[in-house]
Amino acid sequence: MSSLRIGPVTDDATLEDWRLVHNTVVPDAAMSADEARERVGRYLLEVAYDGDVLVGCTTVRPPEADGGASTVIVRVLPRWRGRGLGSALYERAMRQAAGHAAPAVETVVWAANAGGVRFAEARGFAEVDRYEPEPGAVPYLTLRRPSA
């Protein structure tokens, strides 16, 4: 991880990298290029590389209403997990979310990603909601913790 490079989505190539990580980690919610592009204007999307190799991405969403929570989502490609990359991305995203001055931070994890759920819980997040995109589908968990 000595050459970890993280930066914002700024063009079609970095947007496609962000989308590739998203769609790999959350295949049940695969996103089109247009859906991803729509998020660029509303959220802070970043991509992470080890040298020139794509390893992960983040999304930081501002609160939707006064008193609402910021949302931080960290995704690391499966073959790069367990190397501290998720922690580095999480710490950066949490610093960015702190700028929203929200009372809490949420994250959303696909329940099939047991490692992602453990990662969030180890950082003080607790489940506050779950939803199934369609009956019988693997649910998504919303986890929350107070802002630091």
Side-chain angles (χ1 to χ4, degrees), residues 24-64:
T24 300
V25 174
V26 194
D28 266 16
M31 193 178 295
S32 71
D34 287 340
E35 289 170 320
R37 193 170 294 108
E38 183 271 331
R39 283 163 172 73
V40 171
R42 296 185 329 180
Y43 309 139
L44 174 59
L45 307 180
E46 291 194 322
V47 285
Y49 303 89
D50 186 0
D52 292 329
V53 179
L54 179 66
V55 298
C57 73
T58 62
T59 302
V60 178
R61 299 179 194 157
E64 291 184 7

Side-chain angles (χ1 to χ4, degrees), residues 7-146:
V9 168
T10 57
D11 56 25
D12 287 343
T14 52
L15 180 64
E16 190 55 29
D17 283 350
W18 182 92
R19 191 171 78 90
L20 174 69
V21 174
H22 174 278
N23 291 351
T24 300
V25 174
V26 194
D28 266 16
M31 193 178 295
S32 71
D34 287 340
E35 289 170 320
R37 193 170 294 108
E38 183 271 331
R39 283 163 172 73
V40 171
R42 296 185 329 180
Y43 309 139
L44 174 59
L45 307 180
E46 291 194 322
V47 285
Y49 303 89
D50 186 0
D52 292 329
V53 179
L54 179 66
V55 298
C57 73
T58 62
T59 302
V60 178
R61 299 179 194 157
E64 291 184 7
D66 288 343
S70 295
T71 302
V72 167
I73 301 171
V74 173
R75 299 176 195 91
V76 175
L77 291 170
R79 71 178 274 235
W80 291 94
R81 293 178 185 159
R83 303 178 192 199
L85 298 167
S87 294
L89 292 171
Y90 167 78
E91 290 168 14
R92 178 181 173 102
M94 289 297 287
R95 286 191 303 274
Q96 293 163 334
H100 299 146
V105 178
E106 292 181 343
T107 192
V108 179
V109 181
W110 190 39
N113 181 357
V117 174
R118 283 191 306 275
F119 181 90
E121 290 173 341
R123 283 152 183 82
F125 287 85
E127 183 179 338
V128 294
D129 192 23
R130 64 175 49 217
Y131 67 95
E132 293 179 359
E134 57 188 52
V138 175
Y140 291 86
L141 310 179
T142 300
L143 301 102
R144 180 183 278 232
R145 62 165 273 184

